[in-house]
Amino acid sequence: MSGLRERKRQRTHDTISATAIRLFLERGFDAVSVADVADAAEVSKPTLFRYFPTKEDLVLHRIGDHLGEPARVVAAAAGDPVAALHKHFLDGLAQRDPVTGLNDVPEVLAFHRLVFETPALAARRAGFIDEDEAALASALEAATGEPELMAKLVAAQVLAVQRVLARENWRRIMTGTSADELYPAAVDAADAAFALLRPDTATARRERAGPSK
């Protein structure tokens, strides 16, 4: 019976989520109330809030699946954590993971536009980034033995690189480039960006620049 209840719960969760996102895409996030979603999904408001504590959660739970992912990558890495994060991002590009921005499925593009262009959702997403940054810093400190401040700085840099790369991929796809066409350039950009995070690359850049004046 517990398995049946869990499947029923998951169906209700998925129905509410799909209904909410459909309404938000059709009418805009601010124009749709929680009551509208509950009515369309044929559940009560208290039931809806048991599954999704806030209106923003109706959308961002999909992104929440990736929350803490960079820290998990570092925790599982056998070697250089930045290299592991680099490889993980490249794997995401190859798999057209939406989190990398390299995905041209119309429904995914519409979802990204909803998140990026809705202030309330963008603000809540910024909170996710803060949580990811703190978790990644802790994982880096444990994996490398770096001082806390250095781990925080690296974590902030890594997440900034991933965020900028993903937004640039999304921007170029929105201008008409397909994910397959963009893939080689996206890999090159990721390689160049992550190289900037490597101490040996930073040292080489300083040596090429010569002594400061």
Side-chain angles (χ1 to χ4, degrees):
M1 289 297 292
S2 60
L4 179 61
R5 284 196 298 270
E6 183 56 35
R7 288 195 297 273
K8 182 178 179 181
R9 177 180 171 80
Q10 188 62 48
R11 283 196 300 270
T12 302
H13 176 281
D14 293 346
T15 296
I16 295 171
S17 172
T19 300
I21 291 174
R22 174 177 58 79
L23 291 176
F24 295 150
L25 291 176
E26 289 174 355
R27 294 155 50 184
F29 184 79
D30 294 329
V32 177
S33 69
V34 171
D36 293 333
V37 175
D39 288 344
E42 299 183 340
V43 298
S44 67
K45 283 180 63 177
T47 295
L48 184 149
F49 282 125
R50 281 201 298 272
Y51 288 90
F52 301 97
T54 71
K55 183 180 177 182
E56 290 78 15
D57 288 328
L58 288 162
V59 177
L60 294 179
H61 75 93
R62 293 188 176 183
I63 295 175
D65 292 343
H66 288 280
L67 193 61
E69 188 169 81
R72 291 192 292 273
V73 170
V74 168
D80 179 2
V82 173
L85 290 163
H86 180 190
K87 180 181 182 301
H88 183 73
F89 192 85
L90 292 178
D91 290 344
L93 291 175
Q95 296 163 13
R96 305 299 189 265
D97 189 332
V99 78
T100 67
L102 193 68
N103 187 300
D104 53 10
V105 175
E107 292 81 2
V108 172
L109 294 177
F111 179 83
H112 280 177
R113 188 186 300 112
L114 174 67
V115 172
F116 292 146
E117 297 180 359
T118 303
L121 295 174
R124 181 67 181 280
R125 183 173 177 272
F128 285 179
I129 294 171
D130 290 342
E131 292 180 44
D132 259 349
E133 188 175 304
L136 178 55
S138 294
L140 287 167
E141 187 178 0
T144 65
E146 288 281 1
E148 181 182 359
L149 177 58
M150 292 300 102
K152 287 180 177 179
L153 290 170
V154 173
Q157 291 170 338
V158 167
L159 294 185
V161 160
Q162 293 181 342
R163 186 165 62 253
V164 171
L165 289 171
R167 287 298 295 265
E168 179 63 13
N169 290 337
W170 179 76
R171 184 192 67 79
R172 293 186 64 178
I173 285 176
M174 291 298 291
T175 64
T177 305
S178 74
D180 289 343
E181 291 170 337
L182 182 56
Y183 176 68
V187 169
D188 289 344
D191 288 343
F194 273 92
L196 295 175
L197 302 176
R198 307 298 293 274
D200 53 344
T201 303
T203 300
R205 285 168 63 86
R206 286 196 298 271
E207 290 174 349
R208 287 197 300 271
S212 59
K213 298 180 180 179

